[in-house]
């Protein structure tokens, strides 16, 4: 069984979702490793040992990391060091990463053209990207003759997503690649990221990926730092694609 942790990150141009697939045998080890990283930070900096590993909060010194908001180079380096330790820990385990995205500019441009076909034919970005992500996770798992359970970060509309998941299992996902998701078991489970180090791991990957592909970091030093962080998990990426409406989903 592969435990599959899902989180999202988006801006005005692209909507991204990441699935982190973790084998049962690696769950405890990765959880302990991430706990240890936060505990180590708490030993040296004004951070609680239960602080959430959250990409935006770490980079911007917000929320659980707000007391590390000193703009000096040493504190910035310390926060990036925590981020790097977490990415190293993720990459050191036998995990796989699947990334799906949606070009929101093309989405907005094409949506009016198909709106007359009915609201169900053109779902919101989160639903659309999640469907593509589930299809890809299922394909990845099916080839390996395994099963996967999907756990996602808490969001509004969780009941709707569970209903859609059930519809997919009964009638298929539709589109050019329709599947009943035979390798995905039960339903989509939603949990607060605050309580799950593995959901936090998915968030770290999703946030970093979005920053890299968006090119929002104009400072070459920041860009290089992000590329270094990404290099720790890059070998674990099994699939990465951003769909542009009007083109093939794959």
């Amino acid at each position: 069984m592969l435990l599959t942790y899902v989180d999202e990150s988006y801006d005005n141009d692209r909507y991204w979702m990441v699935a982190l697939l973790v084998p049962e045998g690696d769950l405890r080890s990765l959880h302990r490793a991430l706990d240890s990283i936060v505990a180590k930070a708490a030993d040296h900096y004004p951070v609680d040992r239960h602080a959430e590993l959250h990409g935006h909060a770490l980079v911007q010194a917000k929320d659980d990391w707000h007391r590390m908001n000193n703009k000096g180079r040493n504190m910035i380096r310390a926060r990036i060091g925590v981020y790097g330790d977490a990415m190293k820990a993720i990459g050191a385990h036998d995990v796989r990463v699947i990334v799906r995205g949606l070009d929101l500019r093309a989405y907005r441009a094409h949506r009016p053209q198909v709106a007359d076909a009915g609201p169900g034919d053109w779902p919101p970005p989160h639903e659309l990207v999640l469907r593509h992500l589930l299809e890809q996770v299922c394909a990845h798992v099916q080839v390996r003759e395994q099963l996967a359970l999907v756990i996602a970060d808490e969001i509004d509309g969780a009941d709707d997503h569970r209903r859609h998941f059930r519809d997919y299992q009964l009638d298929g996902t539709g589109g050019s690649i329709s599947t009943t998701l035979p390798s995905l078991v039960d339903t989509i489970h939603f949990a607060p990221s605050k309580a799950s180090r593995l959901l936090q791991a998915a968030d770290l990957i999703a946030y970093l990926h979005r920053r890299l592909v968006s090119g929002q970091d104009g400072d070459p030093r920041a860009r290089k730092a992000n590329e270094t962080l990404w290099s720790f998990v890059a070998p674990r990426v099994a699939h990465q694609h951003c769909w542009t409406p009007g083109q093939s989903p794959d």
Side-chain angles (χ1 to χ4, degrees):
M1 177 77 71
L2 294 171
L3 278 294
T4 302
Y5 296 88
V6 174
D7 206 350
E8 75 226 28
S9 188
Y10 54 89
D11 52 29
N12 288 330
D13 296 326
R14 295 183 183 90
Y15 196 107
W16 295 101
M17 297 190 78
V18 160
L20 176 65
L21 287 68
V22 187
E24 290 178 88
D26 286 83
L27 288 169
R28 291 183 178 180
S29 175
L30 180 52
H31 190 160
R32 286 195 298 265
L34 296 174
D35 265 346
S36 296
I37 289 164
V38 179
K40 177 183 175 182
D43 288 340
H44 295 87
Y45 305 104
V47 175
D48 188 274
R49 63 185 300 106
H50 300 295
E52 180 178 357
L53 286 165
H54 188 269
H56 176 77
L58 262 174
V59 171
Q60 303 296 333
K62 303 290 186 179
D63 302 328
D64 289 346
W65 303 88
H66 75 280
R67 295 175 65 191
M68 292 180 67
N69 61 358
N70 188 302
K71 299 300 182 181
R73 183 172 297 180
N74 289 341
M75 198 60 77
I76 294 174
R77 186 182 294 116
R79 298 198 311 271
I80 298 305
V82 173
Y83 210 133
D85 287 344
M87 296 298 277
K88 287 177 185 177
I90 298 167
H93 288 77
D94 187 26
V95 302
R96 293 297 179 271
V97 175
I98 292 175
V99 183
R100 292 294 306 200
L102 173 65
D103 184 323
L104 290 175
R105 290 184 178 181
Y107 171 86
R108 289 187 288 265
H110 281 73
R111 190 177 188 184
Q113 300 175 23
V114 299
D116 293 340
D121 294 337
W122 202 253
H126 186 283
E127 181 183 337
L128 186 59
V129 179
L130 178 59
R131 188 179 74 199
H132 291 166
L133 186 76
L134 293 174
E135 290 172 342
Q136 196 61 46
V137 169
C138 183
H140 177 86
V141 174
Q142 200 166 12
V143 168
R144 288 152 184 80
E145 298 183 344
Q146 293 180 298
L147 298 173
L149 182 71
V150 180
I151 303 155
D153 191 12
E154 279 186 330
I155 57 167
D156 293 335
D159 286 341
D160 290 335
H161 290 298
R162 280 188 284 261
R163 186 178 68 254
H164 295 150
F165 187 84
R166 184 59 178 159
D167 289 342
Y168 300 154
Q169 291 175 317
L170 292 173
D171 304 319
T173 53
S176 59
I177 305 173
S178 185
T179 172
T180 57
L181 307 175
S183 296
L184 306 187
V185 301
D186 200 24
T187 184
I188 301 180
H189 295 266
F190 291 89
S193 60
K194 182 74 175 179
S196 171
R197 287 292 185 210
L198 285 304
L199 277 175
Q200 293 169 32
D203 172 87
L204 293 174
I205 296 170
Y207 179 78
L208 179 62
H209 176 269
R210 181 187 62 76
R211 286 188 72 99
L212 274 173
V213 299
S214 70
Q216 73 177 80
D217 291 305
D219 188 330
R221 293 171 299 179
R223 176 76 183 182
K224 184 177 180 180
N226 287 340
E227 289 173 348
T228 298
L229 294 179
W230 185 255
S231 70
F232 300 135
V233 298
R236 300 297 184 182
V237 177
H239 176 87
Q240 181 177 342
H241 180 71
C242 182
W243 180 50
T244 300
Q247 299 178 5
S248 169
D250 292 325

